[in-house]
Amino acid sequence: MRVNEHPILNFEKGNKVMFYYNGQQLEGFTGETIAAALHANGVRAMRESIHLHRPRGLFCNIGNCSSCLMMVNGKPNVRVCVEKLEEGMMVETQQGKGELK
Amino acid sequence: MTRTADAVVIGGGIVGCATAYNLAKKGLKKVVLVEERYLAGGATGRCGAGVRMQWGTEPNCVLSRDSIKIFENLEEELSYHDSIEFKQSGYLLLAYNEKMVEQFHKNLGLQHKLDIPSRWVTPEECQDLVPHISLQGLHGGTFCHKDGHCNPFKATDAYAKAAQRLGVEILTYTKVTNLLQDRDKISGVETTAGIIETPLVIGCAGAHTMELGRMVGVELPIYPERHQILVTEPVAEKQGPMIMSFYHGIYCQQVPHGGFVMGLGDPNEVKDYDEDSSWQFMHEMAAKITFILPALKDLNVVRQWGGLYDLTPDKTQILGAIPEVPGFYVAAGFSGHGFMIAPVVGELMADVMLGEQPKYPIDMYGVKRFESGELYVEPSVV
Ligand SMILES: Cc1cc2nc3c(=O)[nH]c(=O)nc-3n(C[C@H](O)[C@H](O)[C@H](O)COP(=O)(O)OP(=O)(O)OC[C@H]3O[C@@H](n4cnc5c(N)ncnc54)[C@H](O)[C@@H]3O)c2cc1C
């Protein structure tokens, strides 16, 4: 699913770009968030819960809740609901709490 | 409703809970603890909960050294089935100029006399202990592997639950509004839940202990001062020791959960009861911590808050009886380090309140020192 029309907001679709999700090549558009691109590709689970390792998906979708933290280009704890997609991005499911380099 | 008690403890922070526990442990039957908010709702639940023996005055060295021995076995002593999260990976105090190097060596001399296992570390050794530390401007530091930090909520909870098992009654969301006297002697406390008649009262109300003093006409030299602190998102374990720089006025630790907790002292802070947090703090904290620990620049801050230090003119706590008001005792004025010495303070206060000989003399912490001028100015505070 991808939001194309909205009563108040404008969704301008940018250029088509290619990115990687856990090594798998997917397509998205510049101007949309990583989370939006993942959703459009059917990916719902963004992270694992820390203690019980259960899947976590979008919850607040505004950068507050930590439910969608992923590794992006090797950097842990990226809130993919507010991070914009870029060509060639490496998006990965994060194992554990993430390492600070 | 009027009730009676053998003793009333005012304040449900770590000091009040530890004192109530020790009073009950020594056999006092009816102890009531009165807390205006919730347990650990004051400075205790807002603090860094750092625990260190590396101090610059003998009283603080001794109180913290012996408290750390208690923290090491606290869960067992209090039959606590949870963890107080005591992470004993040391405290690294950093020196950024020659004056500090000198002061630190003086402190080491004192600490070694008191069997505290601290040592001087070169900048390179600092980096062995904390690999992500920047060497810029660093002259070295001192390190004590027995230091560390706890979870202040859990430690308070451990004391409170053990106290309750021994019969202590805890009244939360109840405020002490007046202290009652029979001539000079304490005869009770007036609270928002009624009067409690009692011959023994101890004020462990942090900065608010000053107000308790005024209720019986005593001016206690205790002033509130806001200190701010923040916590970041959790990451995998990266930092063992807690670091502290008196030059920058900051401290920073990684708690077992994975978040980094850090705070700073602002020398221009106004002395009032403001507990809010400010964006200026966030700005300054970020600038200072990324100078010392550049790797932290990628961490997101989850939350920031403020709490009150209860300061005295010599930055040393006031412990003991208030001579003008028989039956009234005070344990306050901890000046930013009351968490780490609370285990011993709780024991000492129970001893003096019950007329027993405390395990070490506490006269030097008495309020009279501000008249006689025998002060203990602590050089090592943030
Ligand atoms: C940001 C910050 C960082 C700190 N870092 C450290 C640290 O790393 N290590 C360390 O050892 N210490 C630290 N401290 C200091 C430490 O928090 C305190 O010294 C310690 O918690 C004092 O405990 P307390 O029980 O005396 O006071 P508090 O925890 O403040 O408890 C006093 C209680 O009394 C209650 N009260 C007040 N008035 C009344 C009334 N009239 N009736 C009923 N109840 C009342 C309050 O609600 C409060 O809960 C820090 C403090 C702050 C603010």
Side-chain angles (χ1 to χ4, degrees), chain B residues 197-209:
Chain B
E197 290 174 348
T198 181
L200 270 184
V201 167
I202 178 162
C204 311
H208 296 276
T209 310

Side-chain angles (χ1 to χ4, degrees), chain B residues 9-18 33-52 55 71 91 148-149 152 156 171 173-178 190-192 203-209 211-212 215 225-230 242 244 251 253 261-264 275 305-310 331-342 345 382:
Chain B
V9 177
I10 306 172
I14 183 97
V15 174
C17 290
L33 184 150
V34 185
E35 163 57 46
E36 182 180 352
R37 300 194 257 196
Y38 48 92
L39 295 182
T44 300
R46 296 157 187 271
C47 82
V51 172
R52 65 172 155 122
W55 285 98
F71 276 123
Y91 238 89
H149 46 89
T156 307
L171 305 177
Y173 299 103
T174 306
K175 182 177 179 170
V176 170
T177 48
N178 206 0
E190 179 190 285
T191 77
T192 48
C204 311
H208 296 276
T209 310
E211 296 158 21
L212 299 178
M215 293 173 189
E225 184 183 273
R226 174 179 68 172
H227 279 247
Q228 298 190 63
I229 177 165
L230 63 78
M242 174 145 176
M244 191 163 212
Y251 56 88
Q253 72 204 42
V261 170
M262 59 189 84
L264 64 81
E275 279 182 333
W305 63 95
L308 299 177
Y309 273 23
D310 43 346
F334 290 100
S335 305
H337 49 271
F339 179 82
M340 67 182 80
I341 61 176
V345 167
V382 160

Side-chain angles (χ1 to χ4, degrees), chain B residues 205-284:
Chain B
H208 296 276
T209 310
M210 189 232 319
E211 296 158 21
L212 299 178
R214 286 194 180 152
M215 293 173 189
V216 288
V218 175
E219 273 307 308
L220 297 168
I222 301 174
Y223 321 96
E225 184 183 273
R226 174 179 68 172
H227 279 247
Q228 298 190 63
I229 177 165
L230 63 78
V231 63
T232 72
E233 63 189 350
V235 284
E237 182 169 3
K238 181 166 182 78
Q239 184 170 320
M242 174 145 176
I243 63 133
M244 191 163 212
S245 161
F246 300 117
Y247 182 82
H248 301 92
I250 65 147
Y251 56 88
C252 173
Q253 72 204 42
Q254 188 181 20
V255 297
H257 170 62
F260 282 75
V261 170
M262 59 189 84
L264 64 81
D266 176 356
N268 302 316
E269 191 68 73
V270 277
K271 298 202 173 3
D272 70 12
Y273 290 101
D274 178 14
E275 279 182 333
D276 283 350
S277 56
S278 70
W279 62 264
Q280 289 91 339
F281 159 74
M282 171 80 84
H283 204 84
E284 191 181 342

Side-chain angles (χ1 to χ4, degrees), chain B residues 285-324:
Chain B
M285 186 76 240
K288 286 183 167 169
I289 200 63
T290 51
F291 174 81
I292 300 174
L293 305 172
L296 268 51
K297 74 182 191 313
D298 287 328
L299 278 180
N300 295 304
V301 174
V302 173
R303 195 161 52 247
Q304 63 177 102
W305 63 95
L308 299 177
Y309 273 23
D310 43 346
L311 289 177
T312 65
D314 60 1
K315 300 199 169 119
T316 300
Q317 50 285 342
I318 301 173
L319 306 178
I322 301 302
E324 297 89 337

